[in-house]
Amino acid sequence: MSQQTVFAAELSWPDYDARVRDGSVPILIPIGSMEQHGHHMPMNVDVLLPVEFARRVAGMTGALVAPPFTYGYKSHQKSGGGNHLPGTTSLDGATLVAALRDVIKEFARHGVRSICLVNGHFENSWFIIEGIDLALRELRWGGVETMKIVVLSYWDFVDKATIARLYPNGFAGWDLEHGGVLETSLMLALYPRQVSLERAIDHAPASFPPYDVYPAKPEWTPVCGTLSSPKEATAEKGEILLQVCVEGIAKALQAEFASAS
């Protein structure tokens, strides 16, 4: 196996050890979910996209990409359609927190001192923070004081100018982008064979009341599972998103991890 790979798990252990033991090489951990994304896309969108962003950024920064988290926290009705939809397969928050804590501590044991969690599933956000907090606390108890962790979601690097280019008819907001233009465009650019745009359902953006109800009320979610229409998605828009987000993530990591290199 070539030592030029950016995927940590593809290295032999001696090659991996040589790369990370001095703490100079960051580890990127993609975190996704298995979640329905409408009739036109597969359920692993939230894994495929952060892995690809991590791969591209690693190639630019010298980082290594860890195996992704392929399950995430429960889908929320107002951001992912809801956990009641068939196929969506989720973890309890405590499970995700514990797994993240353990993985972070293991990389620290290897010598890693810079980690970036590349999130691809909105609902993971607070549980990522809790996992980090617990891991850092326990590492400090063990005498590890120099660990630095960056958390980011790729869509946060899409600036207002890019939004204006992608949504000339108006932007409904990130909370309604589940299975919409952003994710579909990225998938068309990266994995066009996994997108069946002819099966996409064109519908008005979902409308929710300003409160939540549990158990979820299935009638609140569009029956197709997407929260806005993907009809304006194109591979060209996906390429724009790739460029903006990859450059933004790479700059952020270079700024935050500069002292480690």
Side-chain angles (χ1 to χ4, degrees), residues 99-193:
L100 278 169
R101 179 199 63 197
D102 289 352
V103 168
I104 290 168
K105 289 168 60 182
E106 281 294 275
F107 281 121
R109 179 176 65 82
H110 304 160
V112 173
R113 292 297 179 265
S114 301
I115 292 176
C116 176
L117 303 178
V118 184
N119 184 34
H121 178 62
F122 176 81
E123 288 87 341
N124 287 337
S125 299
W126 293 111
F127 300 95
I128 291 173
I129 295 170
E130 180 69 0
I132 291 170
D133 185 65
L134 296 182
L136 291 179
R137 183 174 68 187
E138 293 181 22
L139 287 170
R140 285 193 294 270
W141 291 343
V144 177
E145 301 280 353
T146 56
M147 176 70 80
K148 185 172 189 178
I149 302 177
V150 171
V151 183
L152 57 87
S153 298
Y154 66 84
W155 52 84
D156 286 334
F157 291 87
V158 183
D159 57 20
K160 291 181 179 179
T162 304
I163 289 174
R165 295 176 65 188
L166 299 177
Y167 302 91
N169 298 318
F171 180 53
W174 292 127
D175 53 338
L176 296 181
E177 264 301 298
H178 180 70
V181 170
L182 176 127
E183 289 180 311
T184 304
S185 293
L186 283 167
M187 288 294 290
L188 285 170
L190 293 169
Y191 306 102
R193 293 184 180 180

Side-chain angles (χ1 to χ4, degrees), residues 76 212-217:
H76 191 278
D212 299 308
V213 173
Y214 300 95
K217 301 177 77 170

